[in-house]
DNA sequence: TGTACATCAGTGAACGCGCGTTCACTGATGTAC
DNA sequence: TGTACATCAGTGAACGCGCGTTCACTGATGTAC
């Protein structure tokens, strides 16, 4: 059953949004096309009316997540307050795609890696007023802290890492 | 054909060593038991004479990698020289398991996560002379920088990130 | 020390399962007159 | 504006494939006498 142009465009947006959430929450490899389409109450076949393959979806999902996430990083102060928060650690599905996908992206194709690199550049640019070396180091500290905090199975160690990173970026 | 006790123990060690390399290089999910056994010229069936399941292998592979990797981090100076090097970025298979597996470990079982957490603690302990907050922040910076440097598809950006992290840790 | 037997490390085929992708089909939407 | 037809978004079953794990089997090693 054919859909209207608006419905079609809306479906495409919803696929990217669902994929963006699921990839950040569960990982790219661990998220199937069926999982993504299931989020919209749809079946797998329809996916290929919108995308050539999974790689294309991964790239667009990273772009979309990057746009939304970069808006929240307007300064070093925001990096300390919002990025290095328990809230951000607890909700990767609506957080930074760089922190969520960093060690998995190396196993993906060219498209996804390009999108990831652009996301890193956008974060560096978002911290603009500071000199570039400081911005890059702060980015490494913030991403490293969130990724390790999420990976570790001890809440006390997690809080210590986040606090240490906050203190380091604040100078 | 039954093997001698020494051969059996040697096979077990080789399985862990091969897994440790492959997991760090290609990721845990992307490495199959058959891949690991293939490295030793063996078939899959034999694996289960040594391990209950893949989770157990993952945990032991992380422990082994952690022991070897932590030995190289004897000071902040070593973190700057060896850890934040192009060499370490180019060879995840013989590098730090925390940097190699950080964003993938959240999707693994309890055993692997426990081993990963122990690896983080070992790294923090290895930087001993400094106060804990500095050690934790330096760890976040070093891990974040290596992970992002590896993920990015632009060699110039990679080198800038490593250099910025080196400068930040050196004070 | 020599022999008979039990053990068990490793083989290779098979298991059920979920993956990405394809495809014939359906029927509402969009288009041409 | 109304009608006839072409288009194509979405369905759901099927494809080949690789996964983790199991299992009957083989034959050298380890053990008991």
């Amino acid at each position: 059953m054919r859909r209207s142009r608006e419905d079609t465009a809306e479906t495409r947006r919803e696929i990217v949004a669902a994929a963006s959430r699921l990839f950040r929450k569960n990982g790219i490899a661990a998220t199937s096309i069926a999982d993504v389409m299931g989020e919209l109450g749809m079946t797998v076949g329809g996916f290929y009316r919108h995308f050539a393959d999974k790689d294309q979806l991964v790239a667009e999902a990273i772009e979309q997540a990057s746009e939304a996430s970069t808006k929240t990083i307007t300064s070093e102060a925001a990096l300390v307050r919002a990025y290095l928060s328990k809230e951000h650690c607890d909700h990767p599905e609506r957080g930074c795609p760089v922190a969520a996908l960093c060690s998995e992206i190396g196993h993906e194709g060219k498209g996804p890696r390009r999108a990831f690199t652009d996301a890193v550049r956008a974060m560096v640019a978002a911290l603009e007023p500071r000199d570039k070396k400081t911005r890059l180091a702060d980015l490494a500290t913030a991403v490293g802290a969130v990724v390790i905090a999420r990976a570790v199975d001890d809440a006390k160690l997690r809080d210590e890492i986040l606090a240490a990173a906050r203190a380091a970026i604040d100078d």
Side-chain angles (χ1 to χ4, degrees), chain A:
Chain A
M1 339 113 180
R2 190 174 182 181
R3 303 299 143 87
S4 74
R5 279 203 255 275
E6 301 87 58
D7 284 355
T8 303
E10 177 61 15
T11 297
R12 196 184 201 284
R13 271 192 299 273
E14 283 176 2
I15 292 173
V16 174
S20 183
R21 268 183 277 117
L22 289 176
F23 289 154
R24 281 179 281 177
K25 188 180 179 198
N26 302 322
I28 296 167
T31 301
S32 68
I33 305 293
D35 289 338
V36 173
M37 299 308 280
E39 284 278 293
L40 325 194
M42 282 175 59
T43 57
V44 263
F47 173 78
Y48 293 89
R49 292 282 164 197
H50 298 279
F51 302 92
D53 51 27
K54 192 184 179 181
D55 254 31
Q56 195 192 342
L57 176 63
V58 173
E60 289 200 30
I62 291 172
E63 281 168 34
Q64 204 240 32
S66 171
E67 266 176 55
S69 172
T70 304
K71 274 182 198 154
T72 72
I73 315 167
T74 49
S75 65
E76 242 87 2
L79 206 61
V80 167
R81 199 186 335 104
Y83 199 97
L84 287 166
S85 67
K86 185 173 177 300
E87 165 75 13
H88 187 206
C89 279
D90 288 347
H91 297 287
E93 75 277 6
R94 50 180 196 255
C96 174
V98 171
L101 306 172
C102 56
S103 83
E104 200 187 357
I105 199 72
H107 321 124
E108 296 297 322
K110 281 192 158 202
R113 293 197 69 164
R114 169 55 44 91
F116 183 94
T117 305
D118 289 344
V120 171
R121 287 205 187 91
M123 288 179 73
V124 177
L127 298 170
E128 254 300 336
R130 295 268 207 150
D131 77 293
K132 199 174 184 195
K133 225 166 189 173
T134 307
R135 282 183 276 149
L136 286 165
D138 285 348
L139 176 72
T141 305
V143 171
V146 168
V147 165
I148 297 171
R150 280 178 184 159
V152 135
D153 70 0
D154 173 335
K156 186 166 165 284
L157 180 56
R158 183 197 62 189
D159 294 344
E160 285 181 328
I161 289 166
L162 291 175
R166 269 186 242 118
I169 291 177
D170 256 350
D171 291 345

